[in-house]
């Protein structure tokens, strides 16, 4: 049987060159292939750390301890697989969701959660859209607030508790990556969680819902209510409508 | 020289390690069935939400990464390793450099997959697409990849032929690039043993992650599969590759251009405009080397088309290369800003993904498997007719899947953006549009189910073959009956 993997046909000059320089010399081949695959990445990624990269803004502040805990839940549940956090600069999107998303609004997002699917609606402007109690009921059973929804129910978040030590570890790690948390903020995680959680529990109580400040659902609500809020306020301050 | 069931003999008398090939092959089939089964489950969840079961471990958000990681890293990954270990020994006329490293690679990789299957349902994830695995597993991947790379380059170093064949160029780009992508993309600061935060933030994180994500497509689902094509298609067709020169041009063009295209996942985002434009332009240029590969594959069959009608191996491969051509035409189109404005976020992208994944990766995998199993175990395929039935089920499955998703994507994309006469949204209630997608979700489920049934038939067929009576022939290279 003939060897089908042999090259066939006439070889022009550069074919012979390629054969001699690359195919006969594996080190050469590997080095040049590595160079070929590095160039594009270097040209695109390195400038992101220079002024040609995404804009940053002092109008956005880091997430609070409770919001960090809520974001951890959002990340852990894979909400981004159904929800984008990315309003595009298009008329219909602005009408549906609100002002389009600016680069600086994401500056403290680690990991980024822009998402690539909209099985459910965009969430980048969902902060302050609904009362806390709506989110509570919606997460417990999405069908209760949104008849016919296909979103899974997350009822276990109502009873699951968050651990302040765990949240503190998150904030310490986030600070190492560059999020400007002060020593005070890190030292007072427990009080901060209790205070912000307490406010949400208070608002839930008004709506007739009993919960506690250290419940996972409370943290998730805190995070959802924060989404897009800083950006919206900053845009208003700058007199930008959308 | 002794011939054992697990060793083939090369021209120079080198005894090849086929035991490792068999291991990877069996893992491919097993994980393929598991990964596709999870795909069918999450497809059901979108059509019928109660399938989320109300349990934390089984919700869509936790199972979807299990599907993507299982089909990409376990199913596609294991077939790449199967094909690489089989073909590189023969192309280089030498046994693998180190059997021990081969074994560590195999068991390490399977262990990583098992850890993925345990951690995702528990909600342990980084939620960065295709790089979801938590940091301790990422470190394990790095170590195992280094083991593989040492063995790979070691084998090249001890080769008994002078020139390196084109399939190995593609394998080499796979080994090098995946290492670079994986390490750069996963740089993170651990908070606990189970959780970490990336060193990049916001749009920079998004760019790095899609540089990785798009090139996972480029260097996990494309270049190693082109390597498989360059080895197994000429073998199955018993024809030499159509053009050597074309393979040179399209190899270097492909690996150079691919890396730039990541930002087509971030069009209309906060990513700086220059980066978005680079991504779009390079994605469009990528059409040329992609089609170079497709043409080189299809034209290799010139004069062999008669055999495509009777040989299931060639059937699978022809459809695979055709879908490769289709999805690499669609991809550049979807990278055009205006088109992406419509397609992005919709099921259209899911249609594109699966025309590549089911069509190109899946069909290529099955073609290679049907060619390899009889040769590795030295027995004729137990149920040749069943292979042809599998082919048709899978093809119909792909068509149902992709057509349903294209229709669904186009519909939802248009309805999201439709503006009524009064300047207001024509479809202000989001969930109304979701409901209109339901029939398409059921259709996709049917298509995916047929594809899964085909995969199970293949598994059965291979099992029957391996368990079947010993072949009388002792010639490992004996051609098997065509059908
Ligand atoms: C039995 C066959 C399969 C079925 C039913 C299936 C089903 C699905 C479903 C329902 C999703 C989620 C779609 C969404 O978010 O709306 C998905 C995503 C995905 N599947 Fe599959 N799948 C199958 C086979 C495969 C195979 C063989 C591969 C790869 C080799 C693959 C690769 C992917 C990828 C990469 C995604 C993520 C797409 C994205 O994020 O845009 N699938 N699949
Ligand atoms: C020239 C080749 C290709 C180009 C330029 C290309 C381009 C694109 C574009 C523009 C998107 C949509 C991004 C978005 O709007 O979210 C996309 C998504 C995707 N493509 Fe391709 N494509 C190509 C080939 C392929 C092939 C051959 C495969 C599979 C085997 C593939 C797999 C995927 C996957 C998995 C996604 C979904 C990513 C995600 O959102 O999770 N592509 N591609």
């Amino acid at each position: 049987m003939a060897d089908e993997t042999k090259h066939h046909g006439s070889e022009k000059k550069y074919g012979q060159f390629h054969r001699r320089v690359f195919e006969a010399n594996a080190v050469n081949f590997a080095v040049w292939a590595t160079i070929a695959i590095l160039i594009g990445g270097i040209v695109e990624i390195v400038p992101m750390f220079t002024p040609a990269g995404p804009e940053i803004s002092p109008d956005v502040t880091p997430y609070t301890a409770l919001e960090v805990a809520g974001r951890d839940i959002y990340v852990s549940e894979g909400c981004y697989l159904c929800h984008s956090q990315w309003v595009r600069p298009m008329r219909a999107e602005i009408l549906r969701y609100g002002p389009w998303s600016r680069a600086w609004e994401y500056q403290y997002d680690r990991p980024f959660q822009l998402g690539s699917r909209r099985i459910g609606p965009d969430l980048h402007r969902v902060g302050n859209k609904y009362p806390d109690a709506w989110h509570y009921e919606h997460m417990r059973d999405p069908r209760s607030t949104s008849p016919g929804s296909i979103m899974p129910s997350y009822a276990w978040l109502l009873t699951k508790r968050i651990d302040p030590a765990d949240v503190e570890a998150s904030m310490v790690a986030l600070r190492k990556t560059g999020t400007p948390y002060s020593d005070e903020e890190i030292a007072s995680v427990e009080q901060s969680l209790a205070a912000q959680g307490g406010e949400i529990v208070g608002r839930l109580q008004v709506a007739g819902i009993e919960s506690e400040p250290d419940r996972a659902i409370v943290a998730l609500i805190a995070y959802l209510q924060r989404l897009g809020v800083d950006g919206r306020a900053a845009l208003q301050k700058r007199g930008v409508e959308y | 020289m002794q011939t054992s069931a697990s060793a083939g003999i090369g021209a120079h008398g080198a005894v090849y390690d086929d035991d490792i090939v068999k291991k990877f092959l069996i893992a491919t089939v097993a994980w393929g069935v598991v990964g596709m089964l999870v795909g069918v489950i999450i497809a059901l969840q979108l059509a019928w939400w109660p399938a989320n079961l109300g349990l934390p471990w089984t919700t869509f958000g936790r199972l979807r990464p299990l599907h993507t990681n299982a089909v990409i890293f376990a199913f596609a990954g294991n077939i790449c390793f199967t094909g690489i270990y089989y073909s590189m020994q023969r192309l280089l006329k030498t046994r693998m450099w180190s059997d021990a490293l081969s074994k560590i690679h195999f068991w390490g990789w399977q262990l990583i997959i098992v850890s993925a299957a345990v951690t995702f349902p528990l909600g342990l994830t980084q939620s960065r697409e295709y790089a979801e695995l938590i940091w301790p597993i990422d470190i394990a991947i790095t170590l195992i990849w280094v083991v593989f790379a040492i063995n790979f380059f070691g084998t090249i170093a001890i080769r008994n032929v002078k020139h390196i064949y084109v399939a190995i160029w593609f394998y080499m780009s796979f080994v090098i690039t995946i290492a670079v992508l994986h390490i750069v993309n996963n740089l993170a600061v651990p908070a606990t043993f189970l959780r970490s935060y990336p060193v990049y933030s916001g749009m920079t994180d998004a760019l790095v992650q899609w540089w990785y994500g798009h090139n996972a497509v480029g260097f996990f689902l494309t270049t190693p599969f082109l390597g498989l094509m360059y080895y197994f298609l000429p073998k199955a067709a018993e024809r030499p590759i159509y053009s050597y020169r074309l393979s040179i041009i399209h190899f270097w063009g492909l690996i150079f251009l691919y890396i730039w295209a990541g930002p087509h996942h971030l069009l209309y985002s906060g990513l700086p405009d220059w980066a978005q434009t680079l991504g779009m332009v390079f994605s469009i240029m990528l059409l040329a080397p992609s089609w170079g590969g497709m043409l080189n594959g299809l034209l290799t069959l010139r004069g062999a088309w008669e055999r495509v009608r009777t040989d299931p191996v060639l059937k699978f491969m022809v459809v695979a290369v055709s879908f490769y051509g289709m999805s690499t035409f669609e991809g550049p189109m979807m990278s055009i800003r205006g088109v992406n404005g419509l397609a992005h976020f919709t099921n259209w992208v899911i249609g594109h993904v699966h025309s590549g994944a089911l069509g190109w990766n899946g069909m290529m995998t099955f073609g290679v498997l049907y060619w390899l199993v009889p040769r590795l175990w030295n027995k004729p395929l137990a149920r040749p007719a069943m292979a042809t039935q599998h082919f048709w089920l899978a093809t119909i499955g792909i068509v149902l899947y992709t057509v349903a998703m294209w229709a669904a994507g186009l519909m939802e994309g248009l309805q999201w953006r439709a503006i009524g006469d009064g300047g207001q949204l024509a479809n202000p209630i989001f969930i109304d549009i979701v409901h209109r997608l339901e029939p398409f979700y059921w259709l996709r489920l049917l298509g995916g189910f047929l594809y899964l049934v085909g995969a199970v038939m293949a598994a059965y067929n291979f099992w029957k073959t391996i368990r079947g009576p010993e072949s009388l022939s002792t010639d490992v290279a004996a051609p098997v009956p065509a059908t």
Side-chain angles (χ1 to χ4, degrees), chain A residues 117, chain B residues 39 64 67-68 71 129-130 350 354 357-358 401 444 448:
Chain A
R117 283 286 283 129
Chain B
R64 191 189 190 269
H67 165 62
T68 54
V71 286
E129 222 173 342
Y130 314 121
I350 304 302
H354 288 84
L358 302 176
Y401 193 124
R444 181 260 300 275

Side-chain angles (χ1 to χ4, degrees), chain B residues 6-11 14-19 89-90 93-95:
Chain B
S6 64
I9 298 187
V15 182
Y16 301 142
D17 179 7
D18 281 346
D19 196 50
Q89 297 186 77
R90 284 161 173 82
K93 302 219 183 327
T94 177
R95 196 182 173 92

Side-chain angles (χ1 to χ4, degrees), chain B residues 257-308:
Chain B
L257 294 178
Y258 236 111
I259 286 288
W260 298 73
H264 67 221
H265 293 271
L266 296 166
L267 298 178
Y268 292 103
S269 75
L271 191 70
D273 281 342
W274 60 265
Q276 295 192 28
T277 306
L278 276 180
M280 172 174 131
V281 170
F282 276 81
S283 301
I284 295 168
M285 292 196 286
L286 201 47
L287 176 65
S290 301
W291 275 40
M294 172 195 67
L295 289 175
N296 224 358
L298 287 182
L299 290 174
T300 294
L301 291 165
R302 77 210 174 291
W305 285 100
E306 199 51 33
R307 299 209 17 235
V308 175

Side-chain angles (χ1 to χ4, degrees), chain A residues 81 116-117 119, chain B residues 32 35-44 46 60 64 67-68 71-72 75-76 129-130 210 221 347 349-350 353-354 356-358 361-362 401 405 441 444-445 447-449 451-452:
Chain A
L81 292 165
S116 62
R117 283 286 283 129
I119 294 171
Chain B
M36 290 177 213
L37 178 65
V38 180
V40 168
I41 293 171
I42 60 173
L44 176 66
L46 291 182
F60 181 84
R64 191 189 190 269
H67 165 62
T68 54
V71 286
I72 296 175
F75 173 62
E129 222 173 342
Y130 314 121
W210 280 119
L221 298 180
N347 279 297
V349 177
I350 304 302
V353 170
H354 288 84
L358 302 176
N361 303 120
Y401 193 124
M405 289 298 97
Y441 282 149
R444 181 260 300 275
L445 178 64
F449 180 71
Y451 199 89
L452 171 66

Side-chain angles (χ1 to χ4, degrees), chain A residues 18 47 72 88 230 235:
Chain A
H18 193 266
D72 283 344
R88 294 177 297 173
D230 286 16
L235 291 172

Side-chain angles (χ1 to χ4, degrees), chain A residues 74 83 121-146 151-155 157-158 200 203-204 207 209 211 216-227 229:
Chain A
Y74 188 94
H83 293 288
D122 190 275
L123 295 182
H124 202 207
R125 301 283 172 214
V126 86
N128 293 337
K129 180 177 171 183
Y130 300 108
D132 293 351
W134 187 93
H135 286 296
Y136 187 95
E137 291 302 334
H138 182 250
M139 295 307 297
R140 184 184 59 78
D141 175 15
R143 263 67 48 194
S144 68
T145 54
S146 317
M151 176 164 144
S153 83
Y154 288 91
L157 297 179
L158 274 53
I200 292 173
R203 287 195 291 271
L204 290 176
I209 297 167
S211 189
I217 184 75
V218 172
L220 184 60
I221 292 173
Y223 172 62
L224 290 172
Q225 295 291 28
R226 176 73 188 278
L227 279 173
V229 170

